[in-house]
Amino acid sequence: MNLKTSITIVASLFVSVYGQCQQRSKKINAPQKLAYTITPVNIKNVKLTDEFWLPIIKKVQEKTIEYAIHKCEEEGRLDNFLIAGKQKEGSVKGQMPFDDTDVYKIIEGASNTLISEPNPKLEKLLDSLISIVKIGQEKDGYLTTWRTINPAKPPCTWVPVIEGKRWESLQISHELYNSGHMIEASVVHFEATGKRNFLDIAIKNADLLVRTFGDGANQVHGVPGHQIVETGLVNLYRITKNKAYLDLAKYFLDNRGNPKNHKLYGAYSQDDIPVVQQKEAVGHAVRAVYMYSGMTDIAALENNTNYYNAVNNLWKNVVTKKMYITGGIGSRPDGEAFGEDYELPNLTGYNETCAAIGNVYWNHRLHNISGNSDYFDVIERSLYNGLISGLSLDGKKFFYPNALESDGVYKFNRGACTRQSWFDCSCCPTNLIRFIPSIPGLIYSTKKDNLYVNLYASNTAKIALENTNFEISQKTNYPWDGKVSISVSPKKETQFILKLRFPSWARNQVLSGDLYSYKTVSAAKTTLSINGKSTAFKVDNGYITIKRKWKKGDKIILNFPMEVKEVVTNEKVAGNKGKVSLEYGPIVYAIEEIDNPTAFDKITIRGNDTFEVAKEPTLLEGVNTIKTKNFKAIPYYSWSNRGVGKMKVWINYEK
């Protein structure tokens, strides 16, 4: 490739990236099971047809990725790799020491897209991006472009410089954070294509980290300021079987809170006490859940009960004392951090989009150990509410924080009170690109002769259990409707166990614990039929469990009755006293000023109010709305797509 034209090629390739799809000839390297007892079904085996999720995923694949590449070009993200490799002249472009990671996250999201549906032109686009990344890597494997370009002049004022040395300011330099996202993306790209062009860059960098960090006399003693390299190293170990990567991930975790290893960074970076002693979620929320994901990996892969006990204590603290009704976490704008227990303000609530994504990664890992549906209750709540709220309906505007109230004046979204087209710190837009194409991989999981159906969405999937292979399909209008039709088609009559998640909202439970509860317990019952015959069922760990000999064409009808439910908060949450929020199925609702222009601040829910749910196909790309004589409510995720205005999730209640 002519390096001078490489960026132009990146831009032009995307124009026709979705023009043709043809069968890939390369064999995909499936992830190894290792010590996790439950294995997610790979997205390559799940063909999504869902009317809710497929348009969102396609929007990211066809609009947001292209948009983000152009923004990375405009702001010099790609130039930095070329300048670092002396293929282009110039100084550091951009404002953040972690700008490199935006490119990595785009590659990861596009690679997940390739796993779902082969596309040679998209694959060629990624080869072009990867060739640019490779130019910026130093000979020994080091890869942080700002430091390579000018180690004495970081792109921001808050990274101090002492003679321009590597690793000198690990607390804030983001050198290891850059490595983490790069390694994570390279593993997904390898799984998508079988190519080593990105993986070899990651291995070269990881080998440098292994040589550099440790307890040896000539090694650097320290840990990342912003975690994620830990999960990157674990995933690289999973692909390569090089235990040095797993050992280094554990070294970084073991030495957090260890003053003999380095000068401690404090609670903001979860570096005040050893990780196995941490019981309360504190500090920067994204750092925290990335770290908890790494801790869960160590718990599973090394059967480490100290780590497992710690992550379970932390999970309980987050879910029962520090989680918003939308699944959002991290209540404080100052430090993008967790607050105290029950500190959940609405107007100033932060709920960073990246934190919601990290929380899904963490809960998915916890489920892969235990099979408990509590983790997928958190995942579902986050997915449908406080995560996709970060992306506009046109795919080109974003929320960095996700507030639960807006007065139309307070500029909560990094200088704006509505969605923005980009940010100087663009971690959230590119993290959405990284994550959303992977959503089909959350739907199913397997364990021996058990198939877990974790999420409800129309699809057809190929499933491999211990003793049989078969196809399963779902047809549903979820989340707008609670009816799910599931067809099972084994090649021959075979016994296995089907486990259908019984969502917490359908069991009259908002989430685990008493942070939230429904004002009224619903009397409506979930029903199950098999081949037209009503069937009683038992529930195990939050899953409807059916063990039988399945034959081709067996059909299950699940019906989760949906009705408008009023949610109340534990009285220890001061800002929600005397208020309720509304849910319909897994969707949290909000009132927005554009729908309620008269006396918005005086809107009240009364004890005798009757709720009407109506499908509005032309509103906000098609949503169910909730109406009373006093107001109209829309799904929370869809707010702020029609201009600046007031919004509330928690509404005053009168008996």
Side-chain angles (χ1 to χ4, degrees):
M1 179 184 296
N2 184 336
L3 296 175
K4 293 182 180 180
T5 62
S6 57
I7 294 180
T8 303
I9 291 173
V10 168
S12 62
L13 275 173
F14 210 101
V15 175
S16 57
V17 126
Y18 289 90
Q20 297 179 350
C21 291
Q22 55 187 337
Q23 190 64 37
R24 183 196 299 116
S25 60
K26 300 181 184 70
K27 182 179 179 181
I28 295 174
N29 290 268
Q32 298 298 310
K33 188 174 183 180
L34 296 178
Y36 280 113
T37 59
I38 296 171
T39 304
V41 172
N42 193 294
I43 58 177
K44 70 175 180 177
N45 294 320
V46 182
K47 182 70 174 178
L48 201 64
T49 57
D50 194 65
E51 291 185 4
F52 185 88
W53 284 114
L54 187 59
I56 293 173
I57 293 170
K58 286 290 187 184
K59 178 180 7 180
V60 169
Q61 293 171 333
E62 297 173 8
K63 294 181 180 180
T64 315
I65 291 176
E66 178 184 9
Y67 178 78
I69 289 174
H70 285 308
K71 296 301 282 188
C72 285
E73 286 183 293
E74 289 174 4
E75 300 194 357
R77 306 282 197 275
L78 299 175
D79 282 349
N80 282 340
F81 292 99
L82 300 177
I83 296 167
K86 303 191 186 314
Q87 295 292 327
K88 189 171 186 176
E89 293 184 358
S91 57
V92 179
K93 298 183 179 181
Q95 301 182 48
M96 299 294 166
F98 44 85
D99 281 345
D100 295 355
T101 64
D102 291 328
V103 178
Y104 305 147
K105 286 181 280 185
I106 291 169
I107 294 173
E108 184 172 344
S111 295
N112 276 317
T113 297
L114 280 180
I115 295 174
S116 291
E117 189 171 37
N119 188 317
K121 291 187 178 181
L122 179 58
E123 193 169 327
K124 187 177 180 181
L125 166 68
L126 295 189
D127 286 342
S128 180
L129 286 172
I130 291 164
S131 71
I132 293 171
V133 170
K134 184 176 182 179
I135 291 167
Q137 186 171 38
E138 296 188 26
K139 289 183 179 180
D140 65 355
Y142 184 86
L143 188 49
T144 287
T145 62
W146 71 259
R147 195 206 160 278
T148 301
I149 293 168
N150 187 348
K153 191 177 181 181
C156 56
T157 59
W158 39 268
V159 177
V161 173
I162 306 170
E163 299 178 4
K165 292 180 181 177
R166 293 178 180 179
W167 326 116
E168 65 189 4
S169 303
L170 285 174
Q171 182 177 358
I172 51 179
S173 69
H174 288 78
E175 291 161 280
L176 291 171
Y177 175 82
N178 291 343
S179 291
H181 268 301
M182 185 266 293
I183 295 169
E184 295 245 290
S186 75
V187 170
V188 177
H189 178 261
F190 176 67
E191 291 175 339
T193 67
K195 294 180 178 179
R196 294 187 61 98
N197 51 339
F198 199 11
L199 187 68
D200 286 342
I201 295 171
I203 288 173
K204 191 174 181 180
N205 182 258
D207 288 345
L208 171 67
L209 301 186
V210 168
R211 295 193 303 271
T212 300
F213 291 92
D215 291 325
N218 296 319
Q219 290 180 299
V220 175
H221 302 176
V223 301
H226 194 312
Q227 302 90 319
I228 202 177
V229 72
E230 300 86 351
T231 54
L233 287 165
V234 169
N235 284 331
L236 191 59
Y237 159 69
R238 180 168 56 84
I239 291 295
T240 65
K241 301 300 187 297
N242 185 340
K243 194 169 182 295
Y245 304 144
L246 180 63
D247 291 343
L248 182 57
K250 189 170 185 292
Y251 169 86
F252 285 142
L253 291 166
D254 281 347
N255 283 289
R256 297 197 87 83
N258 178 9
K260 295 180 180 179
N261 178 267
H262 62 281
K263 184 178 179 180
L264 300 185
Y265 311 150
Y268 170 78
S269 299
Q270 298 81 37
D271 189 38
D272 52 338
I273 58 175
V275 296
V276 294
Q277 296 176 20
Q278 295 185 24
K279 297 181 179 180
E280 181 182 358
V282 298
H284 189 272
V286 181
R287 285 169 164 84
V289 287
Y290 285 173
M291 184 181 84
Y292 303 160
S293 295
M295 291 170 63
T296 307
D297 281 339
I298 297 301
L301 301 186
E302 299 202 342
N303 193 27
N304 191 312
T305 56
N306 289 333
Y307 270 75
Y308 193 54
N309 290 338
V311 291
N312 277 291
N313 287 335
L314 289 160
W315 184 89
K316 183 176 180 181
N317 178 250
V318 170
V319 174
T320 66
K321 293 180 173 66
K322 297 191 177 188
M323 181 171 285
Y324 282 85
I325 190 69
T326 56
I329 55 173
S331 61
R332 290 181 177 175
D334 183 16
E336 303 176 330
F338 287 104
E340 299 292 331
D341 290 350
Y342 306 106
E343 182 186 334
L344 297 168
N346 296 312
L347 182 68
T348 61
Y350 205 69
N351 296 316
E352 185 178 339
T353 299
C354 284
I357 292 169
N359 201 30
V360 170
Y361 286 134
W362 178 33
N363 276 272
H364 199 201
R365 284 169 163 83
L366 288 167
H367 180 270
N368 292 342
I369 294 175
S370 72
N372 192 312
S373 72
D374 287 348
Y375 304 119
F376 260 97
D377 290 332
V378 172
I379 290 172
E380 181 179 72
R381 183 164 293 274
S382 299
L383 285 177
Y384 283 106
N385 302 293
L387 193 154
I388 58 170
S389 57
L391 181 67
S392 66
L393 296 180
D394 70 1
K396 297 180 180 180
K397 297 182 181 66
F398 310 92
F399 277 142
Y400 190 114
N402 294 271
L404 273 72
E405 182 175 337
S406 175
D407 59 8
V409 178
Y410 172 57
K411 296 180 179 180
F412 66 92
N413 191 30
R414 298 184 73 86
C417 50
T418 187
R419 299 174 187 273
Q420 290 214 58
S421 58
W422 200 247
F423 307 100
D424 56 356
C425 172
S426 51
C427 57
C428 291
T430 53
N431 222 355
L432 286 164
I433 289 170
R434 171 194 184 212
F435 172 77
I436 285 177
S438 74
I439 286 175
L442 296 169
I443 297 174
Y444 300 106
S445 304
T446 63
K447 179 183 179 180
K448 296 182 179 179
D449 64 346
N450 290 257
L451 173 64
Y452 292 80
V453 181
N454 303 311
L455 297 174
Y456 297 106
S458 295
N459 72 85
T460 300
K462 295 179 180 179
I463 306 297
L465 295 182
E466 192 172 59
N467 297 314
T468 187
N469 297 339
F470 61 94
E471 284 194 356
I472 186 170
S473 67
Q474 293 187 46
K475 292 183 179 180
T476 182
N477 197 31
Y478 200 92
W480 312 121
D481 186 297
K483 184 178 179 181
V484 184
S485 175
I486 299 174
S487 296
V488 178
S489 295
K491 291 181 179 179
K492 61 180 181 179
E493 187 172 328
T494 311
Q495 181 171 290
F496 58 88
I497 299 169
L498 193 60
K499 300 177 80 69
L500 310 171
R501 188 175 66 88
F502 199 163
S504 59
W505 60 263
R507 293 183 278 117
N508 284 303
Q509 184 179 25
V510 181
L511 283 168
S512 179
D514 65 353
L515 182 56
Y516 302 104
S517 59
Y518 293 118
K519 182 173 275 292
T520 303
V521 175
S522 173
K525 300 294 183 183
T526 292
T527 60
L528 170 73
S529 68
I530 301 177
N531 298 329
K533 183 179 180 180
S534 180
T535 305
F537 58 83
K538 64 177 183 177
V539 179
D540 177 32
N541 259 355
Y543 284 84
I544 296 168
T545 302
I546 309 167
K547 181 178 182 179
R548 59 177 274 141
K549 286 187 175 180
W550 300 92
K551 61 182 184 298
K552 188 174 183 178
D554 278 348
K555 188 173 182 179
I556 301 161
I557 302 292
L558 260 177
N559 194 359
F560 302 114
M562 286 188 177
E563 55 192 46
V564 178
K565 294 185 177 183
E566 298 170 336
V567 180
V568 294
T569 316
N570 188 303
E571 290 187 356
K572 293 178 181 177
V573 180
N576 291 349
K577 288 183 178 179
K579 298 179 181 180
V580 299
S581 66
L582 300 179
E583 291 185 359
Y584 186 73
I587 301 289
V588 174
Y589 278 73
I591 54 173
E592 198 171 11
E593 189 176 23
I594 192 170
D595 301 309
N596 306 279
T598 304
F600 181 85
D601 292 325
K602 295 182 179 179
I603 290 175
T604 300
I605 294 176
R606 295 178 174 85
N608 61 354
D609 278 349
T610 300
F611 300 105
E612 175 190 348
V613 177
K615 181 71 172 181
E616 299 197 33
T618 61
L619 178 66
L620 300 167
E621 298 189 345
V623 296
N624 280 359
T625 59
I626 298 174
K627 297 179 183 178
T628 73
K629 61 183 179 181
N630 303 314
F631 63 84
K632 175 180 177 177
I634 60 167
Y636 167 79
Y637 75 80
S638 66
W639 87 278
S640 192
N641 277 285
R642 297 172 290 173
V644 176
K646 297 179 180 180
M647 180 276 296
K648 289 181 182 179
V649 169
W650 293 97
I651 306 168
N652 289 331
Y653 180 84
E654 290 182 6
K655 293 183 179 180

